[in-house]
Amino acid sequence: EISRKKGHINAAYADNLFLPFARLAARTFLPPAVLSIMGFAIDLGGKMVFSESLKKNYDFQYVYRNGKSYANKYLVMYVLKNNTQRNRLGISASKKVGNSVVRHRFARLVRESYRLHENIFNSGLDIVVVARKSAASVGYFEIESALLHLSGLHHILCDEV
């Protein structure tokens, strides 16, 4: 399926096309910017390419107990090495932050800001981001700035090596 944007190919339909590059690129784990070639941009569905979600309670508890934490005005971030090639991102917001709409909005903002910057994070980490009450009323750019600030304090950004 080709969207309305000229030369834009959805990865789910790339196998049905007769473009060898599209079939190859749809199976790779490279960022979309790298996959852009010959005027075609591969859409990976807005998913995190190099990371997974942290979902189980015992995984969160393990990171809380053994990980290193830093905090700022809006977020608390726990980081622990996981001895794999992928990062796992966990997001937590208690009822103290707000109702379910507010908490879910916070989770979406953190997930999106991480997804857009995941190529600059080191790999092999479990990252848990916890909302503070003040995070309920801020926008995307404040959350993004807070996330990158804490990542810098943890020294988990690639450009700091």
Side-chain angles (χ1 to χ4, degrees), residues 14-151:
D15 280 335
N16 296 332
L17 298 174
F18 295 105
L19 295 173
F21 170 75
R23 286 194 297 268
L24 174 67
R27 293 188 187 106
T28 62
F29 291 104
L30 297 173
V34 174
L35 299 176
S36 175
I37 192 169
M38 297 186 316
F40 290 104
I42 305 301
D43 179 16
L44 296 176
K47 295 183 179 176
M48 294 187 291
V49 179
F50 303 114
S51 305
E52 302 168 354
S53 293
L54 202 62
K55 295 183 189 223
K56 298 292 183 182
N57 184 31
Y58 56 82
D59 289 333
F60 277 86
Q61 295 301 323
Y62 189 75
V63 175
Y64 289 143
R65 280 192 219 104
N66 301 313
K68 178 79 173 154
S69 70
Y70 284 106
N72 60 23
K73 187 176 179 181
Y74 304 118
L75 306 174
V76 180
M77 180 186 284
Y78 294 84
V79 175
L80 181 67
K81 291 186 180 180
N82 64 15
N83 299 321
T84 66
Q85 293 297 314
R86 297 177 72 82
N87 287 346
R88 297 190 305 167
L89 177 68
I91 301 169
S92 176
S94 72
K95 287 186 177 181
K96 194 184 296 186
V97 174
N99 64 17
S100 65
V101 175
V102 173
R103 295 192 311 265
H104 191 212
R105 178 180 177 274
F106 166 78
R108 288 194 315 267
L109 292 176
V110 170
R111 198 176 301 115
E112 180 67 6
S113 60
Y114 176 80
R115 183 185 72 84
L116 292 175
H117 296 285
E118 75 175 325
N119 57 341
I120 64 170
F121 281 83
N122 293 334
S123 59
L125 302 169
D126 284 344
I127 303 168
V128 175
V129 179
V130 181
R132 288 194 157 175
K133 193 170 183 175
S134 58
S137 60
V138 297
Y140 170 78
F141 294 107
E142 289 86 359
I143 296 293
E144 178 186 41
S145 174
L147 184 74
L148 293 175
H149 170 252
L150 290 176
S151 302

